[in-house]
C-alpha cells in the first residue's frame, strides 16, 4: 500500500507530536500544525488523504463539522451557553483579541465580557491576539 498523506491539526503540541510520530513510523507522509489558518490552507489544496483534528479550539463550530460529515442528519440544537461561547470566541477573533472592541461589538460592558471570557475558558483564545493593555 502506498503511503497516505495526512494532515494533523491539534493545538496540543504533545498530542500532535505523538500522533505524527506514529503515522510517520507507519510510513505515511504527515503535515502537522497547531495553527488554524495553516490547516485551512492545506485543506484547500489537493493531496490530503486523511485529517486528524483536535476539537479543542474555542471557535471550532462542531455542528457545522457534523453537518459537513453527514449532511442528511439534522443538527442537534446547541445549548445557549455553547452558542454564547462560540459567538464570543468569534468576536474576539474578529477584533484581534481587543476586549474593549469585542464588548462594544457584542453590546455588553467590558466587565461582563471579561466575566464571560473567564466563565467559558476563553482566556487563551483572547491572549493569542495580544493587544496593548490600554486597548483591553
Amino acid at each position: 500500500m502506498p503511503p497516505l498523506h495526512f494532515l494533523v491539526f491539534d493545538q496540543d503540541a504533545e498530542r500532535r507530536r505523538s500522533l505524527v510520530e506514529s503515522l510517520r513510523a507507519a510510513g505515511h507522509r504527515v503535515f502537522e500544525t497547531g495553527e488554524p489558518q495553516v490547516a485551512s490552507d492545506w485543506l484547500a489544496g489537493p493531496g490530503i488523504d486523511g485529517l486528524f483534528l483536535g476539537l479543542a479550539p474555542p471557535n471550532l463550530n462542531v455542528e457545522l463539522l457534523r453537518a459537513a460529515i453527514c449532511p442528511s442528519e439534522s443538527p442537534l440544537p446547541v445549548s445557549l451557553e455553547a452558542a454564547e461561547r462560540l459567538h464570543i470566541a468569534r468576536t474576539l477573533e474578529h477584533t484581534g483579541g481587543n476586549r474593549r472592541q469585542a464588548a462594544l461589538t457584542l453590546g455588553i460592558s467590558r466587565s461582563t465580557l471579561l466575566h464571560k471570557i473567564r466563565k467559558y475558558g476563553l482566556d487563551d483564545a483572547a491572549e493569542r491576539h495580544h493587544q496593548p493593555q490600554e486597548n483591553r
Side-chain angles (χ1 to χ4, degrees):
M1 173 182 196
L4 297 173
H5 294 82
F6 289 105
L7 171 60
V8 176
F9 169 57
D10 195 330
Q11 292 178 331
D12 182 324
E14 183 62 34
R15 187 171 49 200
R16 186 176 68 238
R17 187 176 329 114
S18 175
L19 183 55
V20 167
E21 288 173 4
S22 297
L23 289 167
R24 286 186 177 149
H28 299 293
R29 181 157 175 160
V30 183
F31 306 97
E32 65 173 293
T33 186
E35 297 296 322
Q37 187 60 52
V38 174
S40 176
D41 292 345
W42 269 330
L43 287 173
I48 300 294
D49 298 308
L51 169 66
F52 290 88
L53 174 65
L55 298 177
N59 55 351
L60 179 66
N61 188 328
V62 178
E63 289 306 315
L64 284 177
L65 179 60
R66 289 183 74 239
I69 292 170
C70 189
S72 64
E73 213 177 279
S74 63
L76 296 173
V78 297
S79 70
L80 185 56
E81 281 192 351
E84 183 177 53
R85 181 181 192 277
L86 178 63
H87 190 63
I88 291 170
R90 285 183 176 166
T91 303
L92 285 167
E93 184 177 327
H94 175 75
T95 63
N98 184 318
R99 295 172 182 185
R100 180 168 287 135
Q101 185 62 42
L104 287 171
T105 300
L106 293 166
I108 60 177
S109 71
R110 184 175 171 274
S111 61
T112 298
L113 175 62
L114 294 176
H115 170 75
K116 290 177 184 290
I117 287 172
R118 285 188 298 274
K119 175 182 176 181
Y120 296 128
L122 297 173
D123 290 325
D124 293 337
E127 290 303 317
R128 279 195 289 267
H129 300 286
H130 179 62
Q131 295 290 318
Q133 190 64 30
E134 66 270 9
N135 288 337
R136 290 190 171 189

